[in-house]
Amino acid sequence: MGLSKSIMFSAIQPSGKLTLGNYIGTISHWMHIQDMYNCIYSIADLHAITVNQDKKLFQQNILDTLALYLASGVNPKKSIIFVQSEVQEHCQLNWILNCHTYFGELIRMTQFKQKSKINPNNINIGLFNYPILMAADILLYQSDTVLVGHDQIQHVELARKIAKRLNFLYGQVVTVPKIYIPNKNGSKIMALLNPIKKMSKSDSNLNNIIFLLDDHKCVVKKIARSITDSDNKIFYDTVNKPGISNLLNIYSSLTGTSISVLENMFVNTTYKNFKLLVTQSILDILLKLQEKFFYFKNKKDYLRDILDIGASLAKKEAQKTIQKLYNVLGL
Ligand code: TYM
């Protein structure tokens, strides 16, 4: 990696089909920052095994995630793309960080509490440990910046805390990463039928989610059914009009138009017509994305080569941090 640029890290779990929330919150920005930073984009498969996975489907999801990264414009000649489990140093650093993180810090994590409720029969230690593995992902590469959506802020804050703790104890051993939210309006896309909770790929009600691979008919249907309110006025108010505000966030993020401009544009628009415009803005993006996705999906050898090269480049950087920590710890 070139020395002059700072390091940007971002990752997604291949735990199912990716959503419009993942796209708007993170992937859609990845292409645009590739020349500004040394970007490292990971496929976080170890995080995904905190819930049971079907082996065949899981392997397919990993390759599909890569194909979506490429379809979104990530260039493997500019950025490192790799699968987390193919760089063992993540687990090595994870253990070291375990020994520098307190139980009380993890038990406060909102996502752990939420996921434990959703899956009460599988509250495994991996789920509890999850934010420390995330910290390992980030600190391993001496990342200056971490690009995430709103729901991951608490985890990156923990990574910052652990980094400061290590540096306090052992001198300057890791970079304390900054959090980067590229677009505040797109950092938390909400569920379509319940716009007070996040659109999430693990939601059991599929009508809450636009998947990046949804077809034309499906997108039309899901947006038409999305929950709004009854006063037929389009303006931004997340408390009283969460459904309309969510659709405004989606439209604003996909078209690059500010919310205030949209509020003026839609003063006399009915909800029905507004929904048709939102649908069109989504289809404009998704149909192009899907065309590229299917092009890459069929190039199995090319995909495998990208991951092999990515893992070896990532490993080279990762080993430097592990060596540094082994030295200061006396391992
Ligand atoms: P994951 O796979 O749940 O989500 C990937 C990224 O997408 C963002 N995101 C959203 N943004 C806007 N609206 C939404 N509805 C929405 N849903 C998801 C997430 O904030 C995230 O940035 N543990 C992480 C993956 C990870 C990671 C890391 C991220 C592993 N190691 C190190 C950053 C740094 C996760 O499960 O994200």
Side-chain angles (χ1 to χ4, degrees), residues 9-15 18-27 30 42-44 47 84 90 111 115 130 133-138 146-153 155-156 181 186-191 197-201:
F9 188 91
S10 200
I12 294 184
Q13 273 191 71
S15 55
L18 301 196
T19 71
L20 189 65
N22 294 131
Y23 181 80
I24 292 178
T26 55
I27 319 177
W30 288 359
S42 182
I43 298 171
H47 278 102
Q84 186 187 30
H90 288 253
Q111 213 171 69
K115 290 193 173 174
Y130 183 113
L133 181 58
M134 252 184 86
D137 298 342
I138 298 164
V146 185
L147 190 159
V148 283
H150 186 269
D151 65 317
Q152 296 299 330
I153 292 176
H155 293 159
V156 187
I181 303 273
S187 71
K188 194 172 184 184
I189 300 302
M190 308 306 251
K197 71 170 191 177
K198 190 191 76 159
M199 183 185 286
S200 160
K201 50 175 131 56

